Amino acid sequence: MTTFTMSTVTSDDLDALVASVAGLFSEDAGQHDTSVNLNWPAREGAAYYSKLMNDPACLVLLARDGDRVVGHLVGKLTGPSSIQTTRTAVLESLRVTPDSRQVGVGSLLVTHFLDWARGSGAQRASVTAFAANDTAQRFYARHGFVPASVISQVAL
């Protein structure tokens, strides 16, 4: 039986995190949104995630199977503000490597995220997923997420 571990990302983990994010961009946005710059992780990911690692309002995790990185999660706290009256934990990015799916890694990451959110005073959590990504939609629904809004678009 495999035991997966989770840890907060350190500077030593930055390359592994960026590689995991690049996989997400390729697999998810690459299939569902041709307007996304698939080179963003390689060009700007290290600088972006370096800032988040040191931000107490952010959660940046790696999931491992032994020494091998098998997934990541990035979460951020927002609000309250003059517009939004509640503190929200936003699940910004989540990926599990294809060969480690369906064994609970994603659920461990989301459970950790929700526990962190509650412990950080968030009153709700949110995530955005492509409407065409049925697998992600079902995964998030299993963890209690329900659709709250719809963004519609048309190509011009």
Side-chain angles (χ1 to χ4, degrees):
M1 181 176 171
T2 304
T3 301
F4 298 101
T5 59
M6 287 180 298
S7 60
T8 55
V9 172
T10 67
S11 58
D12 292 339
D13 301 320
L14 196 54
D15 289 343
L17 173 64
V18 170
S20 186
V21 171
L24 175 64
F25 270 55
S26 175
E27 295 162 13
D28 199 26
Q31 291 183 14
H32 302 295
D33 187 350
T34 58
S35 71
V36 171
N37 178 355
L38 300 181
N39 295 317
W40 180 88
R43 288 194 313 195
E44 298 181 41
Y48 177 77
Y49 294 112
S50 289
K51 291 177 187 171
L52 299 188
M53 289 184 324
N54 298 312
D55 186 337
C58 295
L59 175 68
V60 187
L61 296 175
L62 286 181
R64 289 184 169 86
D65 179 2
D67 290 335
R68 188 172 71 94
V69 172
V70 296
H72 78 271
L73 181 142
V74 177
K76 293 181 176 180
L77 296 171
T78 64
S81 69
S82 60
I83 296 173
Q84 292 293 323
T85 60
T86 61
R87 186 168 186 110
T88 301
V90 178
L91 198 166
E92 178 179 289
S93 179
L94 171 69
R95 177 180 183 254
V96 175
T97 58
D99 63 339
S100 296
R101 294 178 184 158
Q102 304 296 318
V103 295
V105 177
S107 291
L108 286 171
L109 287 164
V110 169
T111 298
H112 193 87
F113 167 75
L114 293 173
D115 289 344
W116 169 80
R118 284 183 200 98
S120 299
Q123 288 86 34
R124 65 181 179 173
S126 70
V127 64
T128 301
F130 290 108
N133 189 338
D134 295 328
T135 303
Q137 298 292 339
R138 287 190 307 273
F139 172 80
Y140 291 123
R142 284 194 307 271
H143 291 88
F145 290 88
V146 295
S149 64
V150 175
I151 297 172
S152 300
Q153 59 186 7
V154 62
L156 301 176

